[in-house]
């Protein structure tokens, strides 16, 4: 192992041991090295978190480094256990890159199902959990779209610069990975736009509900406004108030309050404001 590490270019070794978070893919006369992002895999399954895979591939060796368990590594490990054997270390790296896209595809299918559920529930009624679930789904579509776009540009730059190398380690076939990324990115853009439209509909529903609540509050305030005025008048601590010494003053006052509120309610009903 140490002999192979000595043969690695300084740039490849530094990138393998670095903590940078920028995705990149480089070809050297002796090896292929870079950093790729992937979905984090835990015991409970695929998560929404992103992790980084640092790797160096030579003709005889593939070195990887990561802080978290990644979906691509777990999928390749299971395929190796099932008996599948890649022809070379660059072929093994191709399998890892393809499994990166497989994880994103699996997550895109889950996002599509989640948006279907949200859309069906939104047609029936706007529940309290829909805005949070929709915001979470849209945030994930934005993150995955950014991930796929970066990987597409990284592979495009790699394909443009790989002809400058002369070693055999650059036999990495990226055309099928690039095609898969293009297709997935289009799907993710469609999911992102769909989530954006659903979020706009949720905003309109919430605005409409707020307007209805404000209208109801305005109607209630308007109906009881005359009653409040009459109560304020009879509540003034001054002399000469009508019905002050009349035993039936309370009943007469209550009749005035109810009558004034009823009159305002009838006027609003005739104007059609209660049907809006």
């Amino acid at each position: 192992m140490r002999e192979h590490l000595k043969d690695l270019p300084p740039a490849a070794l530094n990138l393998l041991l670095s903590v940078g978070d920028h995705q990149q893919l480089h070809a050297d006369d002796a090896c292929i090295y870079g950093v790729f992002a992937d979905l984090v895999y835990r015991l409970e399954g695929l998560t929404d978190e992103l992790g980084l895979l640092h790797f160096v591939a030579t003709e005889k060796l593939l070195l990887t480094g990561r802080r978290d368990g990644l979906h691509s590594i777990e999928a390749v490990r299971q395929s190796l256990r099932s008996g599948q054997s890649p022809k070379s270390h660059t072929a093994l790296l191709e399998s890892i890159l393809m499994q990166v896209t497989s994880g994103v595809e699996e997550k895109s299918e889950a996002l599509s199902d989640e948006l279907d559920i949200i859309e069906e529930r939104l047609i029936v009624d706007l529940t309290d959990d829909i805005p949070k679930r929709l915001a979470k789904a849209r945030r994930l579509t934005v993150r995955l779209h950014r991930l796929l776009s970066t990987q597409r540009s990284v592979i495009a730059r790699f394909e443009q610069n790989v002809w400058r190398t002369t070693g055999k380690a650059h036999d990495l076939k990226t055309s099928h990975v690039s095609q898969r990324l293009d297709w997935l990115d289009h799907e993710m853009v469609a999911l992102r736009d769909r989530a954006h439209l659903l979020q706009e509909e949720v905003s309109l529903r919430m605005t409409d509900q707020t307007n209805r609540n404000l209208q109801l509050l305005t109607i209630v305030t308007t109906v009881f406004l005359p009653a409040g005025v009459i109560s304020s008048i009879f509540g003034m601590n001054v002399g000469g108030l009508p019905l002050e010494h009349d035993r039936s003053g309370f009943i007469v006052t209550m009749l005035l309050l109810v009558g004034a509120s009823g009159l305002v309610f009838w006027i609003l009903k005739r104007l059609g404001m209660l049907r809006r």
Side-chain angles (χ1 to χ4, degrees), residues 103-207:
V104 177
E105 183 178 1
E106 181 179 344
K107 187 59 65 173
S108 67
E109 293 176 355
L111 280 171
S112 180
D113 295 338
E114 175 72 4
L115 292 179
D116 289 340
I117 296 174
I118 292 175
E119 188 173 15
E120 290 180 2
R121 293 184 59 183
L122 187 59
I123 292 175
V124 178
D125 190 18
L126 177 60
T127 56
D128 295 336
D129 64 326
I130 286 182
K132 294 182 179 179
R133 293 176 61 179
L134 188 56
K136 181 180 178 181
R138 186 184 176 190
R139 178 174 178 267
L140 184 56
T141 58
V142 171
R143 293 182 66 189
L144 292 180
H145 168 61
R146 190 184 303 118
L147 167 71
L148 294 172
S149 299
T150 305
Q151 290 178 348
R152 288 173 60 190
S153 61
V154 165
I155 291 182
R157 288 195 298 267
F158 172 80
E159 292 174 344
Q160 292 177 358
N161 299 329
V162 71
W163 62 271
R164 301 176 183 176
T165 63
T166 59
K168 296 181 179 180
H170 64 266
D171 292 337
L172 181 67
K173 299 178 177 61
T174 56
S175 59
H176 55 300
V177 179
S178 180
Q179 292 175 0
R180 189 85 173 271
L181 288 174
D182 289 338
W183 173 76
L184 277 176
D185 194 32
H186 286 106
E187 291 292 322
M188 198 57 60
V189 169
L191 290 175
R192 184 197 61 183
D193 294 341
R194 182 182 176 191
H196 179 67
L197 292 176
L198 287 175
Q199 201 165 35
E200 286 185 347
E201 184 175 354
V202 168
S203 300
L204 291 176
R205 290 282 191 91
M206 295 178 66
T207 301

Side-chain angles (χ1 to χ4, degrees), residues 50-115:
L50 294 178
L52 294 176
L53 174 66
H54 297 246
F55 58 87
V56 176
T58 66
E59 297 181 34
K60 301 179 180 181
L61 185 68
L62 174 62
L63 295 176
T64 63
R66 61 193 185 278
R67 293 185 176 180
D68 303 290
L70 300 179
H71 170 267
S72 58
I73 301 299
E74 181 64 25
V76 171
R77 182 185 292 115
Q78 292 178 2
S79 65
L80 293 177
R81 288 177 178 176
S82 64
Q84 299 181 10
S85 178
K87 298 179 180 180
S88 63
H89 290 83
T90 53
L92 181 59
L93 180 59
E94 292 174 20
S95 300
I96 293 176
L97 296 182
M98 284 299 295
Q99 290 299 332
V100 171
T101 62
S102 298
V104 177
E105 183 178 1
E106 181 179 344
K107 187 59 65 173
S108 67
E109 293 176 355
L111 280 171
S112 180
D113 295 338
E114 175 72 4
L115 292 179

